[in-house]
Amino acid sequence: MEALTWGGIFARILTQLLPVWIALIATFALSITYKRRLGLYGKLFDSPIGMIGFGIVMFWVFTGLFGGLFDLITTHDVLEQSARMKNKLPGTAFVASNGKMPEGAYPYYLLGGDNLGRDVWSRMIVGAWEVIKIAPFATLFAFMVGITLGLPAGYHGSRLDTGLSFVANLILAFPVILLFYLLVTPEIVATGIPRYMAGVLFLFPIIFLVVLINSRFHTQPPKRNLYAAIALAIGGWLYLGIAWDADPFGIIAFPPNLLVVFVSVVFVNSPTVFRIVRGLTMDIKTRDYVAAAQTRGEGTWYIMLWEILPNARGPLIVDFCLRIGYTTILLGTLGFFGLGLSPESPDWGSTINDGRRLLQVYLHPALAPALSLLSLVLGLNLLADGLREESLKD
Amino acid sequence: MGLFILRRVGVMILTALCLTFVVFFLTNLPPNLEKLAKTQGEMRMTDAEVERWLANRGYSQPLVVKYGQWLGVLPGYVIDGTDGQLRGKCIPLGGTGEGAPTFCGVLQGDWGRSQVFKQPVLDVVSTRLSLTGILMFWVMAVMVPTALIVGILAGMREGSRLDRSLSSFSILTTATPEYVSGVVFISVFSSTTMGLKWFNGSAASAMDGATFNNFTLPVLTIALYGMGYIARMTRASMAEVMTAQYIRTARLKGVSFRNIVVKHALRNALIAPFTVIMLQFPWLLNGVVIVETLFNYKGFGWTLVQAAGNNDIELLLGVSVVSVFVVLITQLISDIGYVYLNPRISVK
């Protein structure tokens, strides 16, 4: 079979991405129709920069979901190797190792083959899923840790603040790569230190939720008990499953090397979030509505979580978007140095690292994931910029 | 001011002690020591042999004692080994121990020996650091002026077309980590496929003499990632200054726009970026590690990867001491400089 021309490759990529286009159009049509009722999210559609950023981000979210989870967009198995497809250029017709074209297989390697003869296109798509399933959750966890510690540090000040700030600065003074090299090695994993760190760090979301519920509903004990029990049950179940791999029902299983990556990314991100939250709290606690709540005799946690936190949400949402981008970069760095993830893993960092050895001769295996990572982070930055602009307008 | 600096230096030393202890703890965990024994001694040692090997070389002492010896506040160990050889921290290999000093740690200037490079750690670190110093110098020389110019041009007329395009450029550079821009640069400017071949894709030859040809790509790669951030800070600071009362006054007096920017706005707008530039050092350190690996430039970052990858404990400790001090000293300089530059802030 003939190799495809660039136009042919482009057309086939567009058709292959059809589910993503449909999902994107549906999202945009629905959001724009109801944008007046959707608060800050709706206002995003007033700013062109924000819309472009949101579009790019959602493109990768849908690509990751459909490709990684439902197997819709990928054309070949990400681990399947073909000796005859090594370093083949984009658009080459697919031939299996035995020289034949298997029945029912996709006839082309759309973006060529890598140095082991795997399909670059499929690996790029599944790589998006690797990012989408880690980065937002790692960032969310880092925010929970940062908020739970940053609010009291900023609100109470004094010794607590000094101590926590010292620890935060300690972690921040560590070069990130050195920390990764120290934490994400098989020897350290064998000692179980990352698991203990997970045990401590993953407690914070549960603490956060329970305190949040308690401070709001402590005047209505039945309601409080019900909500807190639900949060404790679900949180505790997830906690046991994720952090200790001891899910009593055996449903949640978290691969140990993924846990290490997750924990180290949360660990690196939380001190910065802590500092931001602390700074915002110190600023907001001088406002009149906080003084009013204090005069009413509200509890300190109620003031922190239901008076200060909602008023700090603007900068926090913006930082959340930026931080997902930064986490994506960190995950890529881990992959680039071959830390944590398995060597066969299709994540973008590892693929870039694999591809760079032959970069002088074959560009496509490294360039495809590199540009994908670039566009996702760019999208998140643009989205954050759009959100900042819109949130400053009111 | 003196007290302020003194207190900062105190906190800095405390931080450095904590951090080196953490590194010490992590590198001295049992699995790491076992790996060390097996790579240094023999691959097929039994557990008992590993234990003996470690005990003979002083690795089986309590962690705090080992840390104290490394630091040079506790006397170095002297162990008459089970294999009949006398070993001591302060005794050169095969020596008898006559006339050897009691204390030999970092404080005495003895940083130990690197297992990978078979050289004293201090020598390895200083040669590699000087190579990275050259790289950093050029990065700074490219990054800081470009970032400031981009930021000032964008911030002086907020919302103009120039501002829009320069801001998009800075967003693009902050979204491009070094391993992405490095790969793109190599493939565009030095690969045979694109046929441009303007620059050298490897900086290995730059260690003997940096030329425009072999040093442009690594410098550009690091500079671009840091530049966007500084440029955005400068832009924000410049835009804020341009709305200040005294700028309006100057404009109403009829001062030309050029003079307003150069004489009135510039100096006030540069206070915030100064802090940011100083705080960029830790980030640059990250970039250095990636770029030196990517371009095969055997500097400090490359050494860090080698030390960490081979669990070269003493070298790893040396590297982390240096990098932690670089980070902390730049923080100190940025604090002091901020006070000097900004007359509105005073230190009690």
Side-chain angles (χ1 to χ4, degrees), chain A residues 28-304:
Chain A
F28 268 82
L30 279 177
S31 310
I32 291 176
T33 321
Y34 296 109
K35 71 175 172 185
R36 290 288 157 250
R37 290 194 227 156
L38 292 170
L40 182 61
Y41 170 74
K43 280 199 199 128
L44 193 63
F45 292 87
D46 291 334
S47 119
I49 292 184
M51 259 202 313
I52 295 172
F54 183 70
I56 299 175
V57 173
M58 287 322 282
F59 169 82
W60 283 114
V61 170
F62 288 133
T63 308
L65 272 178
F66 292 135
L69 209 56
F70 304 121
D71 240 0
L72 279 177
I73 302 165
T74 50
T75 52
H76 293 89
D77 187 75
V78 284
L79 298 178
E80 180 194 12
Q81 303 179 2
S82 165
R84 288 168 181 258
M85 297 302 290
K86 280 185 186 167
N87 296 318
K88 285 285 186 289
L89 290 178
T92 312
F94 174 62
V95 181
S97 295
N98 57 10
K100 290 196 191 99
M101 157 76 200
E103 200 71 22
Y106 194 80
Y108 297 100
Y109 267 14
L110 284 174
L111 291 180
D114 65 4
N115 60 339
L116 292 174
R118 295 169 298 193
D119 183 26
V120 173
W121 162 257
S122 303
R123 288 178 74 77
M124 184 184 95
I125 300 298
V126 179
W129 175 234
E130 297 283 320
V131 172
I132 298 297
K133 75 181 175 194
I134 303 179
F137 297 105
T139 316
L140 190 67
F141 273 56
F143 262 77
M144 297 255 191
V145 177
I147 289 173
T148 320
L149 295 176
L151 280 174
Y155 188 72
H156 293 299
S158 73
R159 287 254 178 83
L160 181 75
D161 182 27
T162 318
L164 285 175
S165 295
F166 179 74
V167 175
N169 288 338
L170 208 65
I171 302 170
L172 285 176
F174 239 113
V176 175
I177 291 183
L178 182 63
L179 201 65
F180 281 158
Y181 259 111
L182 290 173
L183 280 181
V184 193
T185 55
E187 283 76 29
I188 301 277
V189 176
T191 60
I193 288 182
R195 198 157 281 264
Y196 298 129
M197 281 170 66
V200 175
L201 286 177
F202 293 181
L203 266 182
F204 282 99
I206 303 181
I207 298 175
F208 176 79
L209 280 178
V210 172
V211 174
L212 189 76
I213 293 167
N214 183 40
S215 60
R216 176 90 212 194
F217 296 112
H218 71 107
T219 46
Q220 299 150 279
K223 225 176 189 175
R224 189 260 322 261
N225 293 347
L226 177 70
Y227 290 154
I230 294 173
L232 266 180
I234 297 179
W237 176 49
L238 290 172
Y239 175 74
L240 282 177
I242 294 175
W244 300 102
D245 202 9
D247 177 18
F249 308 108
I251 302 172
I252 301 170
F254 213 66
N257 57 355
L258 199 63
L259 180 77
V260 180
V261 170
F262 200 86
V263 169
S264 39
V265 171
V266 173
F267 187 68
V268 169
N269 268 324
S270 13
T272 329
V273 180
F274 164 80
R275 292 229 294 212
I276 295 170
V277 175
R278 173 179 166 269
L280 286 170
T281 312
M282 283 165 78
D283 175 27
I284 294 177
K285 79 172 174 191
T286 57
R287 304 281 166 89
D288 287 344
Y289 51 79
V290 175
Q294 281 163 344
T295 324
R296 284 205 305 272
E298 303 282 7
T300 42
W301 279 104
Y302 179 85
I303 295 176
M304 284 190 253

Side-chain angles (χ1 to χ4, degrees), chain B residues 308-325:
Chain B
N310 296 307
N311 197 39
D312 189 340
I313 297 179
E314 311 228 289
L315 182 58
L316 197 53
L317 282 165
V319 168
S320 38
V321 169
V322 173
S323 45
V324 163
F325 266 96

Side-chain angles (χ1 to χ4, degrees), chain B residues 12-28:
Chain B
M12 193 173 107
I13 291 172
L14 188 62
T15 314
L17 282 177
C18 289
L19 286 182
T20 45
F21 186 75
V22 170
V23 178
F24 204 86
F25 168 73
L26 287 173
T27 44
N28 275 282

Side-chain angles (χ1 to χ4, degrees), chain B:
Chain B
M1 191 70 193
L3 198 67
F4 166 73
I5 294 179
L6 207 67
R7 209 170 54 218
R8 288 304 308 257
V9 171
V11 172
M12 193 173 107
I13 291 172
L14 188 62
T15 314
L17 282 177
C18 289
L19 286 182
T20 45
F21 186 75
V22 170
V23 178
F24 204 86
F25 168 73
L26 287 173
T27 44
N28 275 282
L29 284 169
N32 274 334
L33 288 179
E34 193 186 320
K35 188 175 152 203
L36 178 82
K38 285 189 172 160
T39 44
Q40 292 292 310
E42 203 193 328
M43 232 21 234
R44 292 186 195 156
M45 283 200 280
T46 60
D47 287 354
E49 278 170 334
V50 167
E51 221 148 88
R52 266 208 302 284
W53 192 93
L54 290 176
N56 282 343
R57 284 158 185 80
Y59 285 114
S60 311
Q61 304 168 86
L63 186 71
V64 184
V65 176
K66 277 191 286 186
Y67 182 67
Q69 291 175 354
W70 174 78
L71 207 59
V73 292
L74 289 178
Y77 64 86
V78 178
I79 293 170
D80 212 350
T82 45
D83 49 359
Q85 202 181 349
L86 183 76
R87 289 189 187 81
K89 182 162 166 47
C90 310
I91 305 169
L93 214 62
T96 51
E98 299 268 331
T102 332
F103 296 94
C104 54
V106 174
L107 294 177
Q108 284 80 24
D110 186 349
W111 292 46
R113 245 183 113 70
S114 156
Q115 318 277 3
V116 181
F117 295 95
K118 312 278 178 218
Q119 269 178 343
V121 168
L122 207 54
D123 292 359
V124 178
V125 169
S126 54
T127 37
R128 302 296 170 186
L129 202 58
S130 65
L131 282 173
T132 298
I134 302 172
L135 183 64
M136 290 293 255
F137 171 76
W138 286 110
V139 169
M140 283 296 177
V142 172
M143 183 175 80
V144 174
T146 326
L148 291 182
I149 291 171
V150 168
I152 288 166
L153 285 180
M156 78 188 178
R157 283 207 180 94
E158 206 184 355
S160 65
R161 190 172 292 167
L162 183 70
D163 174 29
R164 286 278 171 209
S165 46
L166 286 177
S167 296
S168 317
F169 170 72
S170 6
I171 292 186
L172 184 68
T173 61
T174 40
T176 321
E178 292 90 349
Y179 50 89
V180 169
S181 50
V183 161
V184 172
F185 283 149
I186 292 180
S187 51
V188 172
F189 293 120
S190 76
S191 70
T192 44
T193 332
M194 294 294 250
L196 284 179
K197 287 202 130 314
W198 289 353
F199 303 111
N200 211 334
S202 149
S205 57
M207 286 180 287
D208 304 322
T211 61
F212 186 65
N213 195 13
N214 59 20
F215 225 40
T216 308
L217 290 185
V219 167
L220 208 59
T221 308
I222 307 182
L224 264 187
Y225 186 48
M227 198 165 81
Y229 191 59
I230 301 179
R232 294 185 75 175
M233 286 294 154
T234 318
R235 176 187 172 273
S237 157
M238 186 72 187
E240 199 189 318
V241 169
M242 287 306 278
T243 58
Q245 301 278 342
Y246 59 88
I247 297 289
R248 199 170 58 187
T249 313
R251 211 174 248 193
L252 292 175
K253 271 194 326 196
V255 183
S256 71
F257 187 71
R258 193 192 140 80
N259 271 346
I260 290 179
V261 171
V262 176
K263 289 199 177 144
H264 296 261
L266 208 55
R267 206 192 287 174
N268 288 308
L270 288 182
I271 296 172
F274 171 78
T275 332
V276 176
I277 292 168
M278 277 302 165
L279 294 179
Q280 279 282 309
F281 268 96
W283 290 66
L284 285 181
L285 210 63
N286 264 334
V288 163
V289 177
I290 295 171
V291 164
E292 287 183 357
T293 313
L294 191 61
F295 288 94
N296 202 19
Y297 183 77
K298 296 189 171 68
F300 188 70
W302 181 83
T303 313
L304 192 157
V305 173
Q306 293 300 315
N310 296 307
N311 197 39
D312 189 340
I313 297 179
E314 311 228 289
L315 182 58
L316 197 53
L317 282 165
V319 168
S320 38
V321 169
V322 173
S323 45
V324 163
F325 266 96
V326 168
V327 172
L328 295 176
I329 287 173
T330 48
Q331 276 177 6
L332 185 68
I333 295 176
S334 97
D335 281 5
I336 297 171
Y338 192 70
V339 174
Y340 267 113
L341 281 176
N342 195 344
R344 276 169 290 192
I345 291 198
S346 67
V347 179
K348 284 165 233 106

